Amino acid sequence: MASTSSAEEPVLHGPEFGLNEWLVDEQYERYLNDPGSVDEKWRDFFVSPASATGRRERGGPPARNEDAQGAAIKAVRVAALIHAYRVRGHLAAGTDPLAAGQSAGHPELDITAFGLRDEDLDVEFVVDGFAGRTTMTLRGVLDVLRKAYCGTVGTEYMHIQTFEERRWVQERIETPSPRLDRAQQLQVLYRLGAAEAFETFLQTKYVGQKRYSLEGGESAIVLLDALLLRCIGRGVGEAVIGMAHRGRLNVLANIIGKSYRDVFHEFENSVDILSAQGTGDVKYHLGAEGTYRALDGGAIAVSVVANPSHLELVGPVAEGVVRAKQDLAGDDGEAFAVLPVVVHGDAAFAGQGVVAETLNMSRLPGYSTGGTVHIVINNQLGFTTSPANGRSGTYATAVARTVDAPVFHVNADDPEAVVRVARTAFDYREAFHKDVVIDLVCYRRHGHSEVDDPSITQPAMYDRIDARPSVRKLYARALVDRGDIDESQVEGALRDYRERLERAFAETRAPAVPGPPRPVAAAVSRDDTAPRVPTAVPEATVRHVIAAQTGQPMDFTVHPRVLPQLRRRTTMPDAGTIDWATAETLAIGSLLMEGVPVRLAGQDSRRGTFGQRHAVLTDRRTGAEHTPLNGLGPGAAAFSPYDSMLSEMAALAFEYGYSLERPDALVLWEAQFGDFVNGAQSVVDEYIASSEQKWGERSGVTLLLPHGLEGQGPDHSSGRIERFLQLCAQGNMTVAVPTLPGNYFHLLRQQALGEGRRPLVVFTPKSMLRRKEAVSGLAEFTTGSFRPVIPDEGADAQVRRVLLCSGKVFYDLDDHRRNAGLRDTAIVRLERPYPFPEEELGAELARFPRAAEVRWVQEEAGNQGAWSFVRPHVERLAGRPLGCVSRPPASAPAVGSARRHAAEQKELVEAAFR
């Protein structure tokens, strides 16, 4: 409870003051001795008739007696009671449809807990604007409080730190809402009927098939309907929905507008197996795009993002999709005309850490989407796990309080309350551009997937569910009893909807009309035969980009440790020493000049983990920021570099979602160290590696993973190239380990400009960033293209040994060969393990005699790295066994001792030449 110890900020005035009897006494004593010594608001309070319950003369000073003091204290206690309802009222709300008829009270809200008694109920008290009144009886106060906070909606908002937002919510929920008019009631009834009939129809026609039904939570369709109606009325042009599988088919059919025939075809398993659609996915994981059409003719574009069974992972993907749409629309950050809606399950919302990561993104510069409406379909059960075993707090939504999001807990069996909450949530998002959470408290009528028996683990709960009518029946009965509609309207709407389903079902079962024979089409698979786009740039472009990146505005003070790096870059083109960071800058800058937007995000990516990039400069004196590559001149696209929060899973999922909507842009996500991508492995597995095969989604997201064993220990060495290569098939992504800045330059440009869009995984260097040999000359940027294999130009047909490798180990091998004066060994670099460059590598191996031994050399342990992937490919090309030089198989990527690492590396390099 708020408090104050100064007369300048009296506790009695404001919506949240608490119970401070000592303060009242102190101020009252001062007032009696000298009325002018206390604040005017205190004087107004003490002369108020209600403060003394009429026991003093109007206009004169109150008598110094216990009655006046007691009245003042009771007024404060009424204020404290109001505050308590605002804070604790949700705990007494009737939000659980399975607890119908049970008393919803809370001891902290009893008037006796505040020193008030029944005889005070009809006494007038000063309430200072509560419910729009100056004074009210205690009975009237309680009536407003119980209706506002203890009905079928419980609201948590007093944790919000901003007074304006708290006041906004208070005014909304403490002011009685008008009842829905007849048209709105019929709209709600129609949506409930559609949701229920759809599920019962599927249950009847496809017995035993999984569908993850919405039965028990049909009000979710009403909620989405109300949100989208609000969008149409307020000028929001599009909504993007991310959700797991429960209720997904219902949403696709009744909100997105997916045809019933298409849904039934999926249940019939009548998908054309000859179509080139990839491996596909189960029906309740699929996404869709459509148009939501209101009954009055309004419409809004709406889509559901495809999502695997990793439940909450779709949240950041959907946020990335929305941010990309907003950026494409040139959203100025005020309109946010695309609404993200993320639908959660209660157990997953409480249990999965990616939820907290996604919430934390909501107000960050590179990730904000202007507020998301989160809907928790609260079945009060996670598969077979009860809340007592699934979360430690009272609510599944507790994590939302960390970002000051208001939470509306609403009883799903009160659909009119659901509509009001939806409207309030949308309006809050529009007013403050912040996330808001709706906890739709409902139940799950069947088992987790309709094929299991939930009464085995929750018998009492399912006894109550079995005895409870559906929300449609309850609402229809209430409307009829109130006289709002008649029984014929109820049954007529439901009958019409069922007839539509039957017609669609009959059409699905009708014999197909034979058509011309179709050729057999292979599943989605791509190779590297697509024509390469030109990636070289004119020398003038190189110099212009470097000049822009190294120049600063007037009166801008570059940090003294950064300035020498920038000055060196100005000399690199003429010296032929263009390093890695400068090559990357050239790739990005040249793309911007060609109108290709670039987004770069990651932990510390603006500066670069290793102090190499400096995409954003910070004024040493003022802290002002300058992004040099946004000064390339008229017509250049925007460069958007962001430091991300300390997250991998949500951060990478966001960039993946962003890339789906921005095929025109180069979207880069950088791990602080390559192994950090471990924290986003499900994003790689479920989305990046397989989304095209499963859902037909093409992403061009690029992962930059610093990689290389340099004695930094197990956790800062390996980006786990073996994991990515194991996922490679059907041309699903590109995996590259470039060793030259020029080759990296062409790789990034090829990714941005090429036609065959697919994810790119680049194992980028650490120590090699500043290695003197790892530089490129100007001609490597103005001519040529990406080379998947870099041959050993100095080797001839006399060599007796060919070493194949990727990454920084090349430089260690080359140093040893040069220092030892060895001329009988060729070192060939495999710069792109996948798609495997058979033609280029085959041509290089053909240069050497068949008797030459071919070895694969890698820094990684034998059970890691690229060895197991490249072996069959190289042996087929070489026509002979491939040897391997590596560290011994190990469970960790590297040793912890730098000294031991150095000894291992020396031994490995020497062994390669034995």
Side-chain angles (χ1 to χ4, degrees):
M1 288 182 277
S3 63
T4 179
S5 59
S6 69
E8 288 70 32
E9 297 179 343
V11 72
L12 297 179
H13 291 265
E16 301 159 44
F17 56 83
L19 179 60
N20 292 283
E21 296 183 27
W22 64 269
L23 181 60
V24 177
D25 290 341
E26 177 187 280
Q27 296 298 318
Y28 187 61
E29 288 293 330
R30 290 176 59 185
Y31 171 81
L32 292 175
N33 293 327
D34 179 8
S37 67
V38 300
D39 185 88
E40 181 181 357
K41 292 180 179 180
W42 282 108
R43 292 198 300 273
D44 291 344
F45 176 75
F46 290 133
V47 300
S48 164
S51 72
T53 61
R55 293 191 179 93
R56 60 177 179 267
E57 299 179 5
R58 285 182 186 272
R64 182 168 183 167
N65 56 53
E66 293 183 1
D67 286 345
Q69 284 189 345
I73 291 172
K74 281 193 174 183
V76 175
R77 287 171 172 165
V78 171
L81 176 68
I82 294 172
H83 179 79
Y85 267 85
R86 288 167 172 168
V87 175
R88 295 275 188 267
H90 56 88
L91 295 173
T95 57
D96 183 0
L98 298 181
Q102 296 182 14
S103 175
H106 195 278
E108 292 184 46
L109 301 180
D110 192 285
I111 62 171
T112 60
F114 297 86
L116 299 168
R117 298 184 297 273
D118 288 346
E119 52 263 38
D120 297 317
L121 289 173
D122 295 312
V123 175
E124 287 272 339
F125 293 96
V126 173
V127 291
D128 194 33
F130 171 71
R133 301 278 297 278
T134 302
T135 64
M136 289 181 71
T137 65
L138 177 58
R139 191 184 304 277
V141 168
L142 287 172
D143 182 60
V144 172
L145 290 173
R146 287 166 180 165
K147 288 178 179 177
Y149 294 101
C150 303
T152 54
V153 178
T155 307
E156 290 185 89
Y157 69 99
M158 292 296 282
H159 57 277
I160 299 174
Q161 298 299 309
T162 306
F163 171 77
E164 179 188 4
E165 294 176 38
R166 293 195 304 272
R167 171 72 80 171
W168 188 96
V169 176
Q170 282 172 12
E171 290 175 350
R172 285 303 186 96
I173 63 180
E174 292 177 0
T175 302
S177 300
R179 282 178 52 187
L180 302 187
D181 60 32
R182 188 167 181 276
Q184 292 168 338
Q185 291 171 342
L186 290 174
Q187 168 96 358
V188 170
L189 186 60
Y190 175 80
R191 291 298 182 188
L192 288 174
E196 179 182 306
F198 179 82
E199 297 292 359
T200 55
F201 188 87
L202 294 180
Q203 178 76 355
T204 303
K205 300 298 185 181
Y206 300 105
V207 178
Q209 287 205 43
K210 292 182 180 181
R211 56 191 168 91
Y212 298 98
S213 80
L214 194 57
E215 289 164 281
E218 294 94 337
S219 287
I221 299 298
V222 173
L223 200 164
L224 289 170
D225 179 73
L227 271 179
L228 295 175
L229 286 173
R230 207 68 163 180
C231 287
I232 295 171
R234 302 296 176 86
V236 174
E238 185 175 357
V240 175
I241 302 173
M243 66 181 300
H245 40 265
R246 181 152 313 281
R248 190 183 192 88
L249 296 179
N250 211 312
V251 170
L252 290 173
N254 288 315
I255 296 296
I256 306 300
K258 184 173 182 176
S259 74
Y260 304 129
R261 288 186 60 187
D262 287 345
V263 175
F264 297 157
H265 270 298
E266 291 164 0
F267 275 95
E268 298 282 343
N269 291 312
S270 57
V271 175
D272 185 358
I273 62 173
L274 301 182
S275 65
Q277 64 167 10
T279 56
D281 201 351
V282 292
K283 49 190 167 289
Y284 37 81
H285 289 173
L286 303 178
E289 296 180 354
T291 301
Y292 166 84
R293 301 190 183 280
L295 298 183
D296 64 0
I300 180 176
V302 62
S303 58
V304 170
V305 179
N307 185 36
S309 285
H310 281 257
L311 303 177
E312 298 297 336
L313 196 56
V314 75
V317 173
E319 299 289 354
V321 168
V322 170
R323 176 62 182 250
K325 287 177 177 288
Q326 292 174 345
D327 286 353
L328 272 172
D331 203 312
D332 60 5
E334 294 297 327
F336 293 114
V338 181
L339 173 69
V341 179
V342 183
V343 183
H344 313 263
D346 53 316
F349 197 83
Q352 296 191 15
V354 71
V355 173
E357 293 184 26
T358 307
L359 288 168
N360 189 40
M361 284 180 169
S362 62
R363 306 199 73 191
L364 302 181
Y367 302 91
S368 173
T369 54
T372 298
V373 177
H374 297 271
I375 300 171
V376 179
I377 299 180
N378 190 344
N379 301 144
Q380 309 185 68
L381 188 61
F383 199 165
T384 67
T385 303
S386 65
N389 295 313
R391 62 175 184 263
S392 296
T394 302
Y395 295 119
T397 55
V399 68
R401 294 167 64 101
T402 63
V403 293
D404 279 1
V407 182
F408 298 95
H409 307 278
V410 58
N411 189 320
D413 275 5
D414 184 353
E416 292 193 8
V418 170
V419 171
R420 292 193 295 271
V421 163
R423 294 171 177 172
T424 301
F426 177 85
D427 292 349
Y428 176 88
R429 185 260 184 184
E430 291 295 284
F432 301 107
H433 303 312
K434 286 181 59 180
D435 284 18
V436 57
V437 177
I438 301 172
D439 181 17
L440 185 69
V441 186
C442 52
Y443 54 89
R444 190 187 69 198
R445 187 165 290 277
H446 302 292
H448 178 66
S449 60
E450 295 80 42
V451 297
D452 62 287
D453 183 355
S455 67
I456 294 172
T457 50
Q458 278 80 25
M461 180 182 195
Y462 273 86
D463 284 345
R464 294 196 299 274
I465 291 173
D466 290 343
R468 188 161 186 79
S470 71
V471 60
R472 182 197 67 83
K473 292 178 181 177
L474 291 171
Y475 186 56
R477 184 189 305 161
L479 292 180
V480 172
D481 290 347
R482 290 187 332 215
D484 293 331
I485 62 174
D486 58 54
E487 192 72 37
S488 63
Q489 291 174 306
V490 174
E491 295 306 319
L494 187 60
R495 183 170 55 250
D496 174 67
Y497 189 84
R498 285 172 176 164
E499 288 173 355
R500 290 168 56 199
L501 290 171
E502 287 287 358
R503 286 195 299 271
F505 181 73
E507 293 172 3
T508 305
R509 289 288 178 91
V513 178
R518 295 184 54 188
V520 176
V524 176
S525 183
R526 290 179 289 174
D527 56 27
D528 200 38
T529 59
R532 295 179 180 175
V533 296
T535 53
V537 298
E539 180 179 335
T541 298
V542 173
R543 297 188 181 279
H544 179 69
V545 172
I546 288 180
Q549 207 273 334
T550 56
Q552 301 89 43
M554 293 287 291
D555 300 323
F556 191 94
T557 305
V558 179
H559 195 285
R561 296 188 62 179
V562 176
L563 190 58
Q565 293 187 51
L566 300 181
R567 287 173 175 168
R568 280 195 298 273
R569 290 179 186 181
T570 64
T571 66
M572 288 178 182
D574 294 322
T577 57
I578 298 175
D579 64 11
W580 199 273
T582 307
E584 182 184 80
T585 297
L586 290 172
I588 293 173
S590 60
L591 288 169
L592 298 174
M593 291 177 65
E594 295 171 37
V596 178
V598 178
R599 175 183 167 95
L600 167 68
Q603 297 160 18
D604 313 295
S605 288
R606 297 197 304 174
R607 188 204 74 172
T609 297
F610 312 101
Q612 84 282 7
R613 181 174 288 122
H614 303 297
V616 177
L617 302 176
T618 303
D619 190 293
R620 180 67 180 80
R621 293 180 298 105
T622 67
E625 294 183 344
H626 170 55
T627 306
L629 291 186
N630 279 329
L632 291 169
F639 178 39
S640 304
Y642 297 106
D643 287 338
S644 77
M645 63 180 185
L646 194 63
S647 159
E648 289 81 39
M649 182 179 287
L652 180 54
F654 186 100
E655 302 307 324
Y656 166 82
Y658 192 96
S659 71
L660 293 178
E661 292 296 323
R662 295 301 302 267
D664 61 317
L666 177 62
V667 181
L668 306 163
W669 177 78
E670 183 176 53
Q672 191 176 77
F673 287 88
D675 60 286
F676 284 18
V677 78
N678 290 350
Q681 194 62 47
S682 57
V683 182
V684 175
D685 293 348
E686 294 286 0
Y687 287 98
I688 291 172
S690 58
S691 63
E692 184 175 358
Q693 288 293 319
K694 294 192 295 188
W695 312 313
E697 290 183 347
R698 286 196 173 187
S699 163
V701 68
T702 296
L703 281 62
L704 307 180
L705 308 179
H707 174 89
L709 277 69
E710 291 140 335
Q712 296 191 55
D715 292 334
H716 291 338
S717 297
S718 174
R720 293 294 193 176
I721 187 172
E722 64 275 4
R723 293 181 181 170
F724 287 91
L725 293 176
Q726 186 181 43
L727 294 170
C728 287
Q730 300 174 300
N732 61 330
M733 56 184 167
T734 300
V735 177
V737 195
T739 57
L740 284 174
N743 220 24
Y744 178 53
F745 165 87
H746 288 291
L747 178 68
L748 291 182
R749 286 182 52 81
Q750 177 73 34
Q751 174 71 357
L753 302 174
E755 297 178 359
R757 188 162 57 119
R758 60 185 165 202
L760 168 64
V761 182
V762 188
F763 291 88
T764 54
K766 302 194 297 288
S767 64
M768 205 165 71
L769 290 170
R770 294 179 174 86
R771 186 156 189 157
K772 292 182 179 180
E773 299 90 345
V775 295
S776 296
L778 179 61
E780 294 180 55
F781 300 85
T782 59
T783 61
S785 60
F786 176 73
R787 294 184 288 171
V789 174
I790 297 182
D792 191 337
E793 304 288 359
D796 56 32
Q798 302 304 312
V799 303
R800 65 181 183 85
R801 183 188 302 109
V802 179
L803 303 181
L804 300 177
C805 64
S806 290
K808 90 172 220 330
V809 73
F810 162 77
Y811 291 100
D812 295 334
L813 295 171
D814 192 44
D815 283 349
H816 181 83
R817 180 177 61 173
R818 184 172 55 256
N819 293 336
L822 302 175
R823 302 179 59 84
D824 62 349
T825 301
I827 307 176
V828 179
R829 287 174 266 181
L830 180 62
E831 302 274 290
R832 191 196 65 206
Y834 190 83
F836 194 80
E838 298 205 7
E839 181 180 344
E840 292 90 342
L841 185 57
E844 177 64 7
L845 291 176
R847 293 176 52 217
F848 307 114
R850 300 282 296 177
E853 181 185 10
V854 182
R855 295 178 177 175
W856 173 259
V857 184
Q858 64 178 35
E859 297 180 303
E860 298 89 350
N863 60 324
Q864 301 169 26
W867 158 239
S868 61
F869 179 83
V870 302
R871 181 180 183 180
H873 294 284
V874 177
E875 289 185 340
R876 185 177 65 253
L877 289 174
R880 51 198 183 278
L882 177 65
C884 178
V885 179
S886 70
R887 283 174 165 79
S891 56
V895 297
S897 163
R899 182 174 180 181
R900 182 177 172 185
H901 161 79
E904 284 185 352
Q905 191 75 359
K906 181 175 182 294
E907 169 60 24
L908 180 138
V909 170
E910 291 174 352
F913 291 90
R914 292 195 191 113

XYZ file of all heavy atoms in Angstrom, residues 355-399:
324
model
N 8.756 -18.224 -23.137
C 7.699 -17.244 -22.894
C 8.280 -15.995 -22.248
O 8.011 -14.865 -22.683
C 6.594 -17.851 -22.005
C 5.576 -16.788 -21.608
C 5.912 -19.005 -22.722
N 9.091 -16.191 -21.222
C 9.718 -15.042 -20.561
C 10.638 -14.302 -21.514
O 10.698 -13.059 -21.504
C 10.494 -15.510 -19.329
N 11.375 -15.035 -22.340
C 12.258 -14.396 -23.313
C 11.453 -13.522 -24.273
O 11.847 -12.394 -24.596
C 13.032 -15.448 -24.100
C 14.033 -16.239 -23.270
C 14.846 -17.202 -24.120
O 15.010 -16.935 -25.325
O 15.300 -18.231 -23.595
N 10.338 -14.047 -24.748
C 9.523 -13.311 -25.713
C 8.884 -12.089 -25.072
O 8.838 -11.011 -25.681
C 8.452 -14.238 -26.303
O 9.082 -15.420 -26.823
C 7.700 -13.554 -27.426
N 8.391 -12.240 -23.852
C 7.836 -11.081 -23.150
C 8.894 -9.998 -22.978
O 8.619 -8.804 -23.142
C 7.291 -11.508 -21.790
C 6.007 -12.329 -21.782
C 5.757 -12.916 -20.399
C 4.816 -11.482 -22.213
N 10.105 -10.414 -22.652
C 11.174 -9.450 -22.437
C 11.524 -8.685 -23.706
O 12.033 -7.567 -23.651
C 12.421 -10.165 -21.902
C 13.501 -9.207 -21.458
O 13.216 -8.175 -20.855
N 14.733 -9.524 -21.766
N 11.250 -9.263 -24.847
C 11.500 -8.577 -26.125
C 10.538 -7.413 -26.361
O 10.825 -6.520 -27.158
C 11.305 -9.559 -27.290
C 12.399 -10.545 -27.514
S 11.922 -11.566 -28.937
C 13.459 -12.420 -29.226
N 9.405 -7.450 -25.700
C 8.263 -6.667 -26.155
C 8.502 -5.172 -26.266
O 7.838 -4.506 -27.059
C 7.060 -6.927 -25.244
O 7.330 -6.529 -23.915
N 9.454 -4.635 -25.507
C 9.677 -3.192 -25.569
C 11.108 -2.843 -25.946
O 11.542 -1.699 -25.762
C 9.301 -2.552 -24.226
C 7.895 -2.904 -23.776
C 7.359 -1.950 -22.749
N 7.031 -0.658 -23.347
C 6.730 0.432 -22.652
N 6.738 0.386 -21.338
N 6.445 1.554 -23.263
N 11.835 -3.816 -26.498
C 13.202 -3.561 -26.925
C 13.212 -2.953 -28.328
O 12.391 -3.324 -29.173
C 14.018 -4.855 -26.901
C 14.087 -5.578 -25.541
C 14.953 -6.823 -25.654
C 14.621 -4.650 -24.471
N 14.152 -2.060 -28.610
C 14.117 -1.319 -29.877
C 14.066 -2.199 -31.124
O 13.345 -1.897 -32.066
C 15.414 -0.495 -29.828
C 15.721 -0.354 -28.385
C 15.247 -1.612 -27.725
N 14.826 -3.273 -31.136
C 14.876 -4.092 -32.342
C 13.768 -5.097 -32.460
O 13.677 -5.796 -33.481
N 12.899 -5.197 -31.443
C 11.948 -6.302 -31.397
C 10.505 -5.880 -31.115
O 9.595 -6.687 -31.261
C 12.380 -7.310 -30.328
C 13.763 -7.852 -30.572
C 14.892 -7.227 -30.025
C 13.957 -8.971 -31.362
C 16.169 -7.708 -30.269
C 15.235 -9.461 -31.609
C 16.331 -8.829 -31.053
O 17.599 -9.302 -31.303
N 10.288 -4.652 -30.710
C 8.949 -4.219 -30.329
C 7.998 -4.302 -31.513
O 8.344 -3.951 -32.640
C 8.988 -2.782 -29.803
O 7.680 -2.305 -29.582
N 6.779 -4.761 -31.231
C 5.737 -4.795 -32.246
C 4.522 -3.980 -31.811
O 3.427 -4.175 -32.321
C 5.305 -6.252 -32.530
O 4.939 -6.881 -31.300
C 6.432 -7.034 -33.178
N 4.725 -3.103 -30.857
C 3.645 -2.237 -30.437
C 2.645 -2.883 -29.510
O 1.534 -2.392 -29.333
N 3.055 -3.965 -28.874
C 2.170 -4.636 -27.933
C 1.518 -5.863 -28.535
O 1.009 -5.831 -29.655
N 1.545 -6.953 -27.788
C 0.951 -8.216 -28.211
C -0.201 -8.563 -27.287
O -0.100 -8.374 -26.072
C 2.001 -9.341 -28.172
O 3.054 -9.039 -29.089
C 1.396 -10.693 -28.521
N -1.279 -9.062 -27.857
C -2.364 -9.600 -27.041
C -2.088 -11.087 -26.842
O -2.087 -11.866 -27.792
C -3.729 -9.391 -27.700
C -4.832 -10.028 -26.842
C -4.009 -7.908 -27.892
N -1.803 -11.462 -25.606
C -1.551 -12.858 -25.258
C -2.838 -13.465 -24.718
O -3.449 -12.914 -23.790
C -0.455 -12.965 -24.196
C 0.881 -12.462 -24.643
N 1.806 -13.259 -25.268
C 1.436 -11.226 -24.565
C 2.887 -12.556 -25.541
N 2.689 -11.312 -25.135
N -3.236 -14.582 -25.277
C -4.435 -15.285 -24.822
C -4.002 -16.635 -24.278
O -3.413 -17.448 -25.001
C -5.437 -15.483 -25.972
C -5.868 -14.127 -26.541
C -6.645 -16.292 -25.502
C -6.679 -14.238 -27.820
N -4.265 -16.871 -23.015
C -3.954 -18.156 -22.394
C -5.240 -18.972 -22.331
O -6.171 -18.615 -21.601
C -3.363 -17.981 -20.984
C -3.066 -19.341 -20.366
C -2.095 -17.136 -21.043
N -5.311 -20.036 -23.145
C -6.446 -20.944 -23.050
C -6.172 -21.859 -21.861
O -5.437 -22.838 -21.961
C -6.645 -21.734 -24.356
C -6.924 -20.767 -25.517
C -7.794 -22.724 -24.215
C -7.139 -21.441 -26.850
N -6.746 -21.492 -20.754
C -6.398 -22.097 -19.464
C -7.303 -23.298 -19.185
O -8.381 -23.166 -18.604
C -6.518 -21.049 -18.359
C -5.949 -21.531 -17.044
O -5.733 -22.727 -16.838
N -5.705 -20.600 -16.142
N -6.847 -24.482 -19.614
C -7.602 -25.723 -19.374
C -7.488 -26.213 -17.935
O -8.095 -27.218 -17.582
C -7.107 -26.837 -20.298
C -7.237 -26.514 -21.763
O -6.398 -26.881 -22.565
N -8.300 -25.824 -22.123
N -6.644 -25.542 -17.144
C -6.384 -25.937 -15.751
C -5.776 -27.336 -15.669
O -5.932 -28.041 -14.679
C -7.666 -25.859 -14.914
C -8.395 -24.525 -15.037
C -9.583 -24.426 -14.130
O -9.434 -24.370 -12.917
N -10.774 -24.402 -14.708
N -5.075 -27.696 -16.741
C -4.503 -29.032 -16.814
C -3.499 -29.074 -17.948
O -3.757 -28.566 -19.040
C -5.619 -30.050 -17.079
C -5.272 -31.533 -17.020
C -4.765 -31.922 -15.638
C -6.521 -32.354 -17.378
N -2.336 -29.648 -17.713
C -1.341 -29.815 -18.758
C -1.156 -31.284 -19.078
O -0.457 -31.985 -18.354
N -1.806 -31.768 -20.153
C -1.857 -33.197 -20.481
C -2.474 -33.932 -19.289
O -3.679 -33.945 -19.146
C -0.468 -33.713 -20.854
C -0.486 -35.016 -21.624
C 0.646 -35.449 -22.285
C -1.623 -35.809 -21.701
C 0.648 -36.643 -23.007
C -1.637 -36.990 -22.417
C -0.502 -37.413 -23.069
N -1.683 -34.487 -18.416
C -2.240 -35.100 -17.200
C -1.723 -34.423 -15.939
O -1.997 -34.894 -14.831
C -1.883 -36.597 -17.133
O -0.472 -36.739 -16.960
C -2.320 -37.328 -18.387
N -0.984 -33.321 -16.075
C -0.344 -32.675 -14.928
C -1.224 -31.566 -14.373
O -1.604 -30.646 -15.099
C 1.029 -32.102 -15.332
O 1.833 -33.150 -15.866
C 1.727 -31.486 -14.146
N -1.509 -31.619 -13.103
C -2.327 -30.593 -12.463
C -1.489 -29.350 -12.193
O -0.256 -29.417 -12.146
C -2.889 -31.126 -11.146
O -1.821 -31.367 -10.231
N -2.137 -28.185 -12.016
C -1.390 -26.956 -11.719
C -0.468 -27.077 -10.521
O 0.616 -26.484 -10.503
C -2.492 -25.926 -11.493
C -3.644 -26.422 -12.305
C -3.581 -27.919 -12.194
N -0.855 -27.858 -9.515
C -0.012 -27.991 -8.322
C 1.339 -28.596 -8.640
O 2.325 -28.351 -7.939
C -0.729 -28.853 -7.283
N 1.409 -29.373 -9.704
C 2.672 -29.976 -10.124
C 3.311 -29.271 -11.308
O 4.412 -29.639 -11.728
C 2.446 -31.450 -10.496
C 2.018 -32.277 -9.313
O 2.606 -32.197 -8.250
N 0.962 -33.068 -9.472
N 2.620 -28.262 -11.840
C 3.111 -27.604 -13.044
C 3.613 -26.196 -12.854
O 4.272 -25.654 -13.736
N 3.302 -25.592 -11.714
C 3.794 -24.232 -11.474
C 3.845 -23.971 -9.987
O 3.146 -24.619 -9.200
C 2.911 -23.201 -12.170
C 1.464 -23.162 -11.684
C 0.704 -22.032 -12.348
N -0.647 -21.890 -11.869
C -1.732 -22.385 -12.456
N -1.604 -23.082 -13.570
N -2.934 -22.183 -11.950
N 4.663 -23.010 -9.616
C 4.837 -22.704 -8.200
C 3.963 -21.559 -7.726
O 3.786 -21.375 -6.524
C 6.309 -22.372 -7.914
O 7.131 -23.487 -8.164
N 3.428 -20.773 -8.646
C 2.638 -19.614 -8.265
C 1.150 -19.863 -8.350
O 0.686 -20.931 -8.767
N 0.389 -18.852 -7.991
C -1.071 -18.946 -8.029
C -1.577 -19.055 -9.454
O -2.474 -19.844 -9.758
C -1.698 -17.720 -7.354
O -1.235 -17.636 -6.001
C -3.219 -17.799 -7.364
N -0.996 -18.247 -10.330
C -1.485 -18.163 -11.701
C -0.439 -18.650 -12.701
O 0.763 -18.458 -12.516
C -1.848 -16.727 -12.052
C -3.010 -16.159 -11.272
C -2.844 -15.048 -10.456
C -4.276 -16.723 -11.382
C -3.914 -14.511 -9.758
C -5.357 -16.190 -10.677
C -5.165 -15.094 -9.871
O -6.229 -14.560 -9.185
N -0.929 -19.211 -13.792
C -0.043 -19.588 -14.896
C 0.559 -18.358 -15.547
O 1.591 -18.432 -16.212
C -0.820 -20.403 -15.930
N -0.064 -17.215 -15.358
C 0.336 -15.987 -16.042
C 1.304 -15.132 -15.254
O 1.583 -13.995 -15.634
C -0.918 -15.146 -16.344
O -1.623 -14.940 -15.102
C -1.839 -15.859 -17.320
N 1.820 -15.635 -14.138
C 2.635 -14.805 -13.244
C 3.804 -14.144 -13.957
O 4.187 -13.015 -13.627
C 3.137 -15.643 -12.076
N 4.391 -14.814 -14.950
C 5.572 -14.262 -15.620
C 5.255 -12.956 -16.338
O 6.143 -12.123 -16.542
C 6.158 -15.302 -16.598
C 5.217 -15.558 -17.769
C 7.522 -14.866 -17.114
